[in-house]
């Protein structure tokens, strides 16, 4: 089954073809409607012209025949004629017909009755002819069909076309009128013959134009042709002519004017053909131009699409080439090229900056590692010497000074250790050294630190370590480093109050949970997401009231991840903070966490 695709999904080519087909259909519709309209108009105009011709001819023929009829009627009413006929009828002879000159006069004065005039008595015998002595004299014409109605019904007769008969060998028509006595009795018939070939009548028809396939004919009531102009030769059944019919006013004939339809509408047909050609040429022209334009358009779009795809694939080295165009496509192409150049430039700048950054990072790590190493060695020596001096007996003051030196050295030592750990973490040199960790021992070491930090401080420390906390498998050194940082922070950011340190076993998850809570200054909520960043401090100004370099929590976070643990913090400004670290008692796999490794790789 064919599936219809929405026009919105059509390609430009399909849309163009649809547009062209639409144009052709629209043209055909307009052309068809226009042609039909023109044909109708021209047919009506041609019919009007034919009607006019038919009216003109009908008026002339009518006038011509009417004259003949009037002549017959005038003579039929002559009293002498009636009298003569009656007396002839009564006595058989001796009837007196008016002087022949009267009829002769009528005959000559009437150009209508060109075939002659004849007088019949009441029984249908020709008693007299004009011109005199025609062969009809003495003939009994009572059975002559054209006169039958006169004798049967006493009405005037105008016949249709009659071919050669006993009256005349030429085509003719007969007019006849009844001669009645003053008391209405029919005493005879006066008839006239119209010679249809006589020039008087034919000239009327010939006056009508027969150019351009026109013809005129006079027909009787039965439609039989009485006379006609010559028909155009090429007329055939496939070209039915246009016809206009007009009846004669006084004669039961009608005139038919006709014209070959093909000739009458020839101009329109020529115009139609011309329009068709023009339309077809325009369509062909549009098709040729359209194909050329659409091809160029589509090929330019395709080129741009290919270029865009190459760019999207990350290759910015290929220039965007759209042939020399100055239209919208050209502008688009040039804009694309500008974009490519700009992207290439930005890409180069970015790559350069990244390289610079990587180099700087490398230098920083190198520097950190070197400086820390260089600092730690003499510090170790200083601390060693201080210990040696402290082991010897000495004055109390000297001992207190030495203890001060020792404390500061330790602080410095722990700072340097943190720096080295961070450097190691960043360079990927630090690996977890898994081993058995005695949690109680670990807590014991933290207790020593707490005691030292809490000396001379208005802080009470609460221990909530569970003696039943089991041992674990982890990196004891790193755990101690994390706890040291959390505890040091708690003391640093708690001017007075309580610090609670707890260690417990989350049996459900089999994790050892270390928590350090204080009632110190707390951390604003919006800062919490950032405090684990390297060198980040809530108050980083030089005038801040707390020391530190913003490294402790970053290390705690990185080490927790490394040990597959979880770190959380809850804090409220001026109420205190609580940091908890949960570390698996038995790590899933004894290797570095994935994110740390990826960082190392980067
Ligand atoms: P610092 O060397 O400044 O202590 P840290 O990374 O350990 O660096 O801590 C980062 C910042 O987090 C600290 O500067 C401090 O603003 C805040 N912070 C850490 N621990 C606490 C705490 N227990 N109470 C309040 N603020 C703390």
């Amino acid at each position: 089954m064919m599936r219809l695709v929405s026009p919105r999904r059509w390609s430009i080519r399909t849309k163009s073809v649809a547009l062209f087909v639409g144009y052709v259909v629209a043209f055909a519709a307009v052309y068809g409607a226009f042609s039909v309209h023109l044909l109708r108009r021209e047919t009506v105009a041609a019919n009007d012209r034919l009607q006019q011709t038919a009216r003109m001819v009908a008026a002339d023929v009518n006038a011509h025949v009417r004259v003949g009829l009037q002549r017959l009627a005038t003579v039929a009413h002559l009293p002498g004629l009636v009298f003569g006929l009656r007396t002839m009828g009564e006595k058989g002879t001796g009837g007196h017909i008016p002087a022949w000159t009267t009829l002769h006069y009528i005959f000559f004065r009437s150009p209508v009755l060109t075939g002659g005039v004849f007088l019949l008595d009441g029984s249908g015998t020709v008693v007299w002819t004009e011109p005199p002595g025609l062969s009809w004299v003495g003939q009994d014409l009572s059975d002559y069909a054209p006169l039958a109605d006169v004798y049967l019904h006493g009405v005037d007769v105008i016949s249709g076309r009659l071919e050669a008969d006993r009256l005349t060998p030429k085509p003719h028509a007969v007019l006849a009128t009844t001669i009645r006595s003053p008391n209405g009795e029919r005493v005879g018939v006066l008839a006239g013959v119209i010679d249809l070939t006589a020039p008087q009548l034919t000239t009327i028809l010939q006056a009508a134009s027969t150019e351009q396939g026109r013809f005129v004919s006079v027909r009787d009531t039965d439609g039989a042709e009485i006379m006609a102009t010559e028909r155009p030769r090429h007329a055939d059944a496939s070209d039915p002519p246009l016809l206009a019919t007009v009846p004669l006013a006084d004669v039961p004939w009608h005139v038919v004017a006709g014209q070959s339809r093909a000739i009458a509408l020839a101009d329109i047909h020529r115009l139609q053909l011309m329009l068709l050609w023009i339309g077809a040429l325009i369509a062909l022209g549009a098709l040729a131009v359209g194909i050329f334009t659409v091809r160029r358009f589509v090929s330019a779009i395709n080129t741009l699409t290919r270029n865009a795809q190459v760019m999207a694939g990350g290759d910015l080295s290929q220039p965007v080439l759209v042939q020399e165009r100055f239209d919208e496509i050209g502008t688009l192409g040039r804009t694309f090229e500008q974009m490519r150049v700009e992207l290439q430039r930005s890409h180069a700048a970015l790559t350069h900056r990244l390289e610079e950054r990587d180099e700087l990072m490398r230098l920083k790590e190198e520097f950190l590692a070197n400086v820390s190493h260089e600092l730690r060695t003499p510090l170790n020596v200083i601390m060693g010497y201080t210990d040696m001096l402290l082991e010897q007996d000495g004055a109390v003051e000297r001992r207190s000074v030495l203890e001060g030196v020792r404390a500061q050295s330790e602080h410095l030592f722990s700072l340097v250790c943190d720096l080295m750990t961070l450097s190691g973490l960043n360079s990927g040199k630090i690996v977890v050294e898994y081993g058995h960790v005695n949690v109680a021992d670990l807590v014991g070491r933290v207790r020593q630190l707490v005691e030292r930090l809490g000396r001379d401080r208005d802080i009470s420390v609460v221990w909530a370590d569970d003696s039943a906390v089991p041992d674990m498998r982890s990196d004891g050194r790193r755990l101690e480093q994390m706890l040291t940082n959390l505890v040091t922070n708690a003391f640093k950011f708690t001017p007075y109050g309580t610090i609670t340190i707890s260690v417990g076993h989350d049996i459900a998850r089999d994790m050892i949970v270390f928590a350090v809570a204080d009632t110190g200054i707390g951390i604003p909520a919006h800062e919490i997401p950032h405090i684990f960043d390297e060198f980040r401090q809530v108050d980083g100004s030089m005038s801040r009231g707390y020391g530190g370099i913003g490294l402790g929590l970053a290390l705690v976070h990185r080490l927790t991840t490394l040990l597959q643990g979880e770190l959380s913090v809850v804090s409220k400004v001026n109420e205190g903070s609580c940091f908890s670290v949960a570390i698996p008692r038995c790590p899933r796999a004894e290797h570095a966490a994935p994110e740390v490794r990826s960082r190392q790789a980067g």
Side-chain angles (χ1 to χ4, degrees):
M1 202 176 77
M2 204 180 79
R3 273 195 29 218
L4 279 178
V5 182
S6 155
R8 276 185 300 168
R9 290 168 177 254
W10 291 359
S11 66
I12 289 177
R13 271 181 219 276
T14 314
K15 280 180 185 155
S16 307
V17 171
L19 202 67
F20 179 73
V21 172
Y23 163 77
V24 171
V25 170
F27 174 77
V30 171
Y31 170 79
F34 186 59
S35 295
V36 169
H37 171 73
L38 271 185
L39 270 178
R40 276 203 189 138
R41 225 182 56 174
E42 191 54 28
T43 307
V44 168
N47 266 325
D48 282 353
R49 286 195 295 274
L50 288 175
Q51 194 82 27
Q52 233 170 324
T53 307
R55 262 201 297 270
M56 205 178 71
V57 173
D60 286 353
V61 173
N62 188 65
H64 185 80
V65 178
R66 197 175 55 203
V67 167
L69 274 173
Q70 273 174 356
R71 294 279 169 178
L72 287 179
T74 308
V75 176
H77 283 95
L78 287 175
L81 189 68
V82 176
F83 177 75
L85 277 172
R86 211 183 58 229
T87 49
M88 278 171 77
E90 284 168 357
K91 296 171 185 170
T93 55
H96 178 75
I97 302 298
W100 67 268
T101 44
T102 312
L103 299 177
H104 194 62
Y105 170 78
I106 292 169
F107 174 68
F108 276 117
R109 293 291 295 186
S110 167
V112 182
L113 307 170
T114 42
V117 178
F118 55 99
L119 181 65
L120 300 107
D121 63 13
S123 61
T125 306
V126 178
V127 294
W128 189 82
T129 67
E130 180 60 43
L134 287 178
S135 58
W136 317 328
V137 177
Q139 277 193 41
D140 180 5
L141 292 182
S142 59
D143 62 338
Y144 184 57
L147 298 179
D149 272 351
V150 188
Y151 281 97
L152 279 177
H153 308 296
V155 294
D156 290 353
V157 160
I158 300 172
S159 78
R161 180 186 172 98
L162 302 169
E163 297 305 330
D165 57 14
R166 53 184 134 151
L167 285 186
T168 169
K170 293 179 183 175
H172 59 282
V174 171
L175 312 181
T177 187
T178 311
I179 304 167
R180 294 184 188 281
S181 62
N183 57 8
E185 181 198 352
R186 186 177 65 223
V187 290
V189 169
L190 186 62
V193 177
I194 300 173
D195 179 358
L196 295 178
T197 59
Q200 288 87 339
L201 196 57
T202 51
T203 45
I204 296 177
L205 258 62
Q206 278 157 6
S209 165
T210 53
E211 282 171 11
Q212 297 190 323
R214 289 197 189 88
F215 59 88
V216 181
S217 66
V218 179
R219 298 175 189 213
D220 64 15
T221 40
D222 300 330
E225 208 164 64
I226 296 169
M227 56 188 168
T229 57
E230 208 176 319
R231 289 290 181 103
R233 279 200 197 105
H234 46 75
D236 56 40
S238 65
D239 178 24
L242 296 172
L243 294 174
T245 304
V246 173
L248 269 59
D250 305 308
V251 181
W253 295 349
H254 54 267
V255 171
V256 176
Q259 188 178 18
S260 152
R261 187 179 290 266
I263 297 176
L265 303 177
D267 282 351
I268 295 302
H269 285 144
R270 264 194 297 278
L271 186 67
Q272 273 181 320
L273 201 66
M274 196 177 78
L275 283 179
L276 199 63
W277 272 108
I278 291 174
L281 285 177
I282 290 176
L284 278 177
L287 189 66
V289 173
I291 287 175
F292 176 72
T293 312
V294 168
R295 270 209 181 148
R296 275 200 64 190
F297 180 73
V298 170
S299 109
I301 294 267
N302 283 343
T303 308
L304 284 179
T305 309
R306 272 195 302 278
N307 280 308
Q309 280 167 345
V310 170
M311 271 196 256
D315 182 0
L316 296 170
S317 62
Q318 314 252 355
V320 177
L321 293 175
V322 177
Q323 307 99 8
E324 279 301 297
R325 295 183 69 123
F326 298 96
D327 55 3
E328 288 85 344
I329 298 272
T331 311
L332 188 65
R334 281 187 288 281
T335 312
F336 252 140
E337 175 60 7
Q338 276 172 7
M339 195 173 82
R340 183 193 69 83
V341 170
E342 192 54 34
L343 271 176
Q344 203 177 28
R345 203 186 58 71
S346 308
H347 187 262
L350 210 62
T351 311
H352 184 64
R353 285 196 148 185
L354 275 176
E355 283 168 3
E356 270 182 0
R357 195 201 73 133
D358 285 352
E359 181 62 11
L360 278 175
M361 290 284 286
R362 197 186 61 76
L363 287 175
K364 187 193 92 177
E365 300 306 338
E366 209 174 83
F367 172 78
L368 268 180
N370 292 340
V371 167
S372 309
H373 189 261
E374 290 302 313
L375 283 174
R376 201 168 65 158
T377 311
L379 260 177
N380 254 333
V381 175
I382 292 170
M383 281 161 65
Y385 281 135
T386 315
D387 283 346
M388 279 168 64
L389 285 172
L390 278 171
E391 277 164 17
Q392 296 168 9
D393 285 341
V396 176
E397 296 80 26
R398 196 183 62 183
R399 190 175 179 81
S400 126
V401 171
L402 281 175
E403 277 174 359
V405 172
R406 168 74 199 186
Q408 290 305 316
S409 302
E410 264 178 25
H411 176 64
L412 206 52
F413 187 76
S414 116
L415 259 183
V416 171
C417 281
D418 283 354
L419 274 175
M420 285 188 74
T421 307
L422 183 73
S423 163
L425 282 170
N426 286 342
S427 63
K429 282 180 192 154
I430 285 208
V431 283
V432 183
E433 290 169 14
Y434 283 106
H436 179 84
V437 178
N438 185 317
V439 179
D441 285 356
L442 177 67
V443 173
R445 287 197 293 278
V446 177
R447 270 180 190 271
Q448 286 174 16
L449 172 72
V450 169
E451 267 167 35
R452 211 171 48 243
L453 291 173
R455 229 173 268 158
D456 305 328
R457 294 288 302 274
D458 187 10
I459 291 174
S460 58
V461 178
V462 176
W463 286 90
D465 53 325
D466 184 354
S467 55
V469 174
D471 291 349
M472 61 194 294
R473 184 163 176 78
S474 191
D475 188 332
R477 214 173 104 221
R478 301 299 167 204
L479 282 176
E480 189 178 336
Q481 204 172 359
M482 286 158 61
L483 288 174
T484 303
N485 271 304
L486 291 178
V487 169
T488 309
N489 275 353
F491 275 95
K492 193 166 31 171
F493 298 106
T494 309
Y496 55 86
T498 309
I499 292 175
T500 307
I501 302 165
S502 61
V503 183
H505 180 206
D506 180 346
I507 298 169
R509 298 194 295 158
D510 198 19
M511 291 178 112
I512 304 298
V513 182
F514 304 93
V516 181
D518 61 54
T519 56
I521 60 172
I523 307 164
H526 66 275
E527 286 287 350
I528 290 180
H530 308 294
I531 54 175
F532 298 103
D533 295 347
E534 288 173 20
F535 309 114
R536 188 72 173 243
Q537 295 173 307
V538 173
D539 180 4
S541 67
M542 291 303 285
S543 56
R544 67 192 190 274
Y546 309 97
I549 56 172
L551 211 55
L553 287 184
L555 271 184
V556 173
H557 181 240
R558 302 283 298 273
L559 289 173
T560 308
T561 311
L562 198 62
L563 296 176
Q564 304 170 25
E566 292 165 9
L567 171 64
S568 63
V569 57
V570 181
S571 185
K572 211 164 181 192
V573 175
N574 294 332
E575 287 188 16
S577 317
C578 177
F579 290 85
S580 3
V581 180
I583 305 290
R585 207 171 61 81
C586 305
R588 286 188 300 280
E590 296 189 1
H591 55 68
E595 61 266 43
V596 176
R597 277 196 290 136
S598 67
R599 176 67 185 261
Q600 289 162 358

